[in-house]
Amino acid sequence: MEQLYKILEELRPDVNFKEETALIDDGILDSFDIVALVGEIDEAYDIVIGVEDLIPENFNSVEAIMALINRLKSGE
Amino acid sequence: MKKIEDLSEVSSLISSFMKKNILSNNYIMPEKYAAYIREAALYFEKTESALVLFLDCHTYWRVFYYIKDCSADIMLPQDKPLAMEIVSKPNSDSYKKAIAYWVSKGFEPCIYRSRMTATPHSLQPIGQQGQELTFASSQQAEIIQMMIAEAFDPYFGCVPSVPEVERYIENKEIIIAKGQSNHIEGLLHFGQKNLTYFVWHVLVHPNFRKNGVAKKLFGCFVSNLPVSDKIKIQLWVKNDNNAARRLYETLGFEYDGWQSVGLIKKH
């Protein structure tokens, strides 16, 4: 989780990711951020986030992003 | 060039390119892909080191790319102009590299823009007296479409078709200013996604400029926003449009760090 926080904080130092739970619904992250984020996550966790995974539910909070990473790592 | 038939095809095409340090201008989200595929408008060319998606915009191709290395070569369609937009934070090496790559392929940078953001609270209070400000009605769709098409860039100005304007009018997304002559003196077109409002088009007819019409349109727009601390308003402004930029700054918008360049290749 710390690695993910580090990626997010580098991407958007202006956002408190520990408190925000509606990153997409509240418009905190937009499509530019998500595409940059996906590249970083793919590289850091050696996974492939597919286009079909680019849905708000997967990016609304740090927990949701971590759950997506874990799902993809376990091959679900 | 091959047509893309379904979303899973997009996924398998893109998967090996969704990596850090790969040059890309592709910010398309799944719902947009689905619409483009439904319209049979999305095509691609792929090599080991590059993937380019082409969206058929009738009079031109919109280009979305992934470039793994700058020696990559790719076949480009020759039948109509090609247009692409590269969006970035300032001083990004990948932004400069991508522009240099496409310039070497015959593209010319032609429009530079900056994104500005405000919240309803950061906007200055604006009076709305002097003009009649209302949401547009369906009978005005054609004239509104013509006004937008005349005022905005055909490749990068998000110029809508008449049916699209009709849909925006139905959704109450176009505010117009009418003067005593009953002519449309100006309009503001906006959209919304979650809590972010996007101002797509603001224009004032040349005969009615310098009368505060744009300010009043913004005043009407803001007064119709729901009350929430989390709402933000975004717009893109051309870097050389000093009058518009000054207006937005006066209203309370600030440059938020995103910039874009539009490039064109005409054969």
Side-chain angles (χ1 to χ4, degrees):
Chain A
M1 194 77 119
E2 283 311 308
Q3 190 179 11
L4 179 57
Y5 275 118
K6 195 169 167 235
I7 292 170
L8 287 163
E9 281 157 11
E10 273 176 21
L11 181 73
R12 288 291 302 273
D14 55 318
V15 177
N16 183 347
F17 287 97
K18 293 195 169 143
E19 285 186 1
E20 297 292 349
T21 55
L23 294 166
I24 307 298
D25 294 343
D26 285 355
I28 296 163
L29 295 185
D30 59 25
S31 59
F32 304 140
D33 295 315
I34 289 174
V35 171
L37 179 61
V38 165
E40 296 279 349
I41 291 174
D42 280 13
E43 191 90 358
Y45 291 90
D46 194 24
I47 54 172
V48 174
I49 297 176
V51 170
E52 65 280 3
D53 298 316
L54 301 180
I55 51 174
E57 302 88 284
N58 286 336
F59 292 91
N60 247 339
S61 65
V62 175
E63 287 73 22
I65 301 170
M66 204 63 233
L68 170 68
I69 294 168
N70 289 334
R71 270 202 310 280
L72 293 170
K73 273 190 93 69
S74 66
E76 280 176 41
Chain B
M1 209 165 57
K2 295 176 194 136
K3 190 189 285 177
I4 295 177
E5 306 284 355
D6 60 55
L7 193 59
S8 63
E9 198 180 346
V10 178
S11 225
S12 70
L13 282 168
I14 289 177
S15 59
S16 67
F17 291 92
M18 296 250 278
K19 298 283 178 204
K20 196 176 167 182
N21 297 328
I22 286 185
L23 304 179
S24 180
N25 71 339
N26 187 6
Y27 299 103
I28 306 175
M29 291 288 122
E31 70 274 13
K32 283 279 184 193
Y33 282 119
Y36 299 154
I37 292 167
R38 256 197 322 274
E39 292 160 16
L42 198 58
Y43 296 77
F44 74 96
E45 278 286 348
K46 189 183 176 190
T47 66
E48 278 296 303
S49 49
L51 167 68
V52 183
L53 304 180
F54 301 98
L55 177 66
D56 188 350
C57 298
H58 307 294
T59 54
Y60 66 95
W61 293 102
R62 187 79 179 207
V63 178
F64 304 96
Y65 63 80
Y66 294 89
I67 306 290
K68 277 186 186 168
D69 82 74
C70 289
S71 61
D73 208 0
I74 199 110
M75 289 275 288
L76 298 171
Q78 305 279 329
D79 57 336
K80 46 192 175 189
L82 299 150
M84 71 169 74
E85 190 163 25
I86 305 175
V87 180
S88 165
K89 290 275 175 76
N91 304 319
S92 143
D93 277 348
S94 58
Y95 181 69
K96 291 173 196 158
K97 265 192 216 167
I99 295 170
Y101 175 82
W102 289 108
V103 166
S104 77
K105 303 288 172 206
F107 281 77
E108 283 180 39
C110 60
I111 183 168
Y112 291 88
R113 294 191 284 199
S114 304
R115 195 172 78 175
M116 300 182 86
T117 298
T119 64
H121 299 298
S122 69
L123 290 176
Q124 301 301 310
I126 310 156
Q128 295 168 42
Q129 291 77 34
Q131 270 86 17
E132 185 193 341
L133 297 158
T134 63
F135 287 105
S137 65
S138 56
Q139 302 94 302
Q140 293 163 323
E142 276 188 36
I143 180 76
I144 288 173
Q145 195 279 335
M146 276 171 51
M147 289 174 77
I148 294 175
E150 272 174 27
F152 287 87
D153 186 278
Y155 302 107
F156 302 107
C158 301
V159 176
S161 62
V162 173
E164 284 170 331
V165 172
E166 285 169 343
R167 200 172 65 242
Y168 302 146
I169 289 172
E170 199 179 315
N171 295 341
K172 294 197 180 305
E173 293 172 342
I174 298 181
I175 299 167
I176 55 165
K178 283 198 297 185
Q180 289 171 346
S181 58
N182 219 24
H183 284 117
I184 298 177
E185 296 186 353
L187 66 88
L188 184 151
H189 164 216
F190 65 95
Q192 178 206 355
K193 189 168 183 190
N194 301 318
L195 292 172
T196 305
Y197 284 75
F198 305 93
V199 177
W200 294 120
H201 301 101
V202 183
L203 71 87
V204 178
H205 189 283
N207 295 350
F208 303 102
R209 288 184 186 159
K210 302 199 184 290
N211 290 324
V213 176
K215 267 190 187 177
K216 288 167 193 163
L217 284 162
F218 268 96
C220 182
F221 163 61
V222 172
S223 70
N224 279 286
L225 293 177
V227 178
S228 165
D229 287 343
K230 292 184 167 176
I231 282 178
K232 61 181 176 187
I233 307 160
Q234 287 181 346
L235 54 81
W236 287 89
V237 62
K238 280 170 70 179
N239 291 2
D240 60 0
N241 190 346
N242 292 327
R245 203 183 175 95
R246 266 198 306 275
L247 167 72
Y248 300 141
E249 283 168 354
T250 307
L251 291 172
F253 283 86
E254 287 180 359
Y255 170 53
D256 69 7
W258 285 99
Q259 60 182 354
S260 87
V261 57
L263 297 105
I264 294 277
K265 180 178 166 74
K266 291 180 180 167
H267 301 291

